[in-house]
Amino acid sequence: MVHANAPLSPAGRLRLARCVVDDGWAPARAAERFNVSLTTARRWAGRYRAEGVAGMVDRSSRPTSCPYRTPRRQERRVVGLRVSRRWGPARIAYRLGMHPSTVHKILTRYRCLRLSWTDPATGAPVRAQRRKVRRYEHAAAGDLVHVDIKKLGRIPDGGGHKVAGRQAGKKNRKGIRHGYWYIHNAVDDHSRLAYSELLPDERKETAAGFWARANAYFAAAGITVARVLTDNGACYRSHAFAAALGEDIKHKRTRPYRPQTNGKVERFNRTMLEEWAYARPYTSETERVAAFPTFLHHYNHHRGHTALKGAPPADRVPNLRGQNT
């Protein structure tokens, strides 16, 4: 912090300017007396003539114009994606063709809170606890495939509370058991390529059949699976699932109560809920199920992944079927 009586504090500038303007000193004499350059002496004398004492204070160093600043319309698109879709700077940047650091500066300028500091449901600020994150990625596709099951309640005919309102949604559900989908997912660790099916249960025969079809899907894409990582669910501990894996695929399991170890498929589950299951109000479960193949295709072929620097999983799997469609 500058002392109030320092040589070129506002008080020192005022003394210099008054020597030139009020006392009639030559700018060169005032510059020598106050040990500053002639340009500095003339600057403060000119400001004193134009603005008086108010001109002696510091001004902002921000330029009056910036021809390379992001257009205001583009800034509104950045903030709109942040608010409506809760995307981070990297995801927004890849969508709009911008640099992540530029998006981060825009979000900071508009005082947008970090996503970890807001509630996912309401967007209200919350206190977040920082934790150390350990990330890993295998070097080649097929080195490890993450497998998991996500349980999802079915929508009643006429829509749930998001469509019909809270009271009507309860009425649609009253006395009727709509049941659940058990969404079986397999995600390649290196490419994030995902294979997913909506199945009626999580029994061992169902899990084994799912893996047989998933393995065939990866093989058709040119991926030879070497390891499979699952949690410790009963269906994955069964002989049926072991037989489906065969002798060439090694089965690895996560530690108990450590879902972050299977983080690739856990992140896919979250993306699936945000961008398909709860992306918009559905009037029936049939409508939502019909939208699932479109979401899965978009995820694998077109959706930019932040861990892949904006590229979709298809960019890391050259032999993926339908890649150019």
Side-chain angles (χ1 to χ4, degrees):
M1 185 175 180
V2 180
H3 191 274
N5 294 322
L8 279 187
S9 66
R13 299 164 191 167
L14 182 61
R15 287 195 296 268
L16 184 153
R18 282 177 173 173
C19 287
V20 177
V21 178
D22 298 339
D23 299 339
W25 286 25
R29 179 186 175 189
E32 181 180 1
R33 166 65 179 79
F34 287 89
N35 195 25
V36 297
S37 67
L38 178 60
T39 303
T40 301
R42 286 174 175 171
R43 179 191 304 121
W44 292 116
R47 286 196 189 179
Y48 181 67
R49 291 190 185 98
E51 305 177 26
V53 179
M56 300 297 100
V57 297
D58 290 327
R59 294 176 177 176
S60 172
S61 60
R62 182 177 182 178
T64 55
S65 64
C66 182
Y68 301 105
R69 178 175 174 175
T70 305
R72 186 64 58 85
R73 183 176 181 180
Q74 188 79 343
E75 291 182 347
R76 288 198 294 266
R77 293 182 65 190
V78 169
V79 177
L81 287 174
R82 177 55 166 260
V83 174
S84 63
R85 305 197 181 185
R86 287 182 54 81
W87 286 358
R91 179 80 186 281
I92 297 174
Y94 302 144
R95 176 64 177 269
L96 300 181
M98 304 170 63
H99 198 278
S101 62
T102 302
V103 175
H104 177 73
K105 290 180 180 179
I106 293 173
L107 295 176
T108 302
R109 187 184 308 134
Y110 283 85
R111 299 182 180 180
C112 295
L113 295 177
R114 292 178 179 268
L115 294 178
S116 59
W117 296 353
T118 59
D119 183 82
T122 64
V126 296
R127 177 176 293 181
Q129 296 182 353
R130 299 180 65 89
R131 60 183 179 86
K132 185 178 180 180
V133 179
R134 299 179 61 185
R135 304 184 187 277
Y136 67 91
E137 179 184 281
H138 283 258
D143 285 354
L144 181 66
V145 172
H146 301 253
V147 177
D148 191 33
I149 300 173
K150 182 64 179 178
K151 187 178 179 180
L152 180 67
R154 298 179 182 177
I155 298 174
D157 292 337
H161 67 273
K162 288 189 176 182
V163 174
R166 182 68 62 177
Q167 296 301 323
K170 289 182 178 180
K171 184 178 180 180
N172 290 341
R173 298 194 305 268
K174 188 175 181 180
I176 303 176
R177 299 180 64 88
H178 299 282
Y180 296 89
W181 285 117
Y182 293 85
I183 309 176
H184 293 242
N185 301 314
V187 178
D188 177 56
D189 184 272
H190 175 75
S191 65
R192 274 65 168 188
L193 181 67
Y195 178 80
S196 183
E197 291 183 358
L198 279 67
L199 300 175
D201 57 61
E202 52 183 345
R203 297 176 181 174
K204 57 184 180 180
E205 296 84 3
T206 305
F210 164 77
W211 173 249
R213 294 185 293 273
N215 192 28
Y217 172 80
F218 288 124
I223 298 176
T224 301
V225 179
R227 300 179 186 83
V228 166
L229 178 64
T230 70
D231 57 24
N232 292 277
C235 62
Y236 299 131
R237 299 197 306 266
S238 65
H239 293 290
F241 190 77
L245 291 178
E247 298 180 356
D248 297 332
I249 300 177
K250 184 177 181 180
H251 188 190
K252 299 176 66 68
R253 295 181 176 87
T254 62
R255 292 170 55 193
Y257 309 107
R258 292 294 186 275
Q260 58 269 32
T261 309
N262 213 8
K264 304 294 191 305
V265 71
E266 294 290 349
R267 186 60 180 88
F268 174 77
N269 290 340
R270 175 180 163 188
T271 300
M272 179 178 61
L273 295 180
E274 292 177 349
E275 301 184 16
W276 165 67
Y278 305 135
R280 62 182 179 88
Y282 296 97
T283 57
S284 66
E285 185 61 28
T286 303
E287 181 184 359
R288 183 165 69 174
V289 171
F292 186 68
T294 302
F295 157 75
L296 196 60
H297 176 83
H298 176 76
Y299 178 90
N300 284 329
H301 296 264
H302 307 291
R303 181 187 182 275
H305 201 297
T306 55
L308 306 183
K309 298 183 179 179
D315 282 12
R316 286 193 172 186
V317 188
N319 297 325
L320 184 61
R321 294 173 297 178
Q323 180 177 353
N324 298 320
T325 60

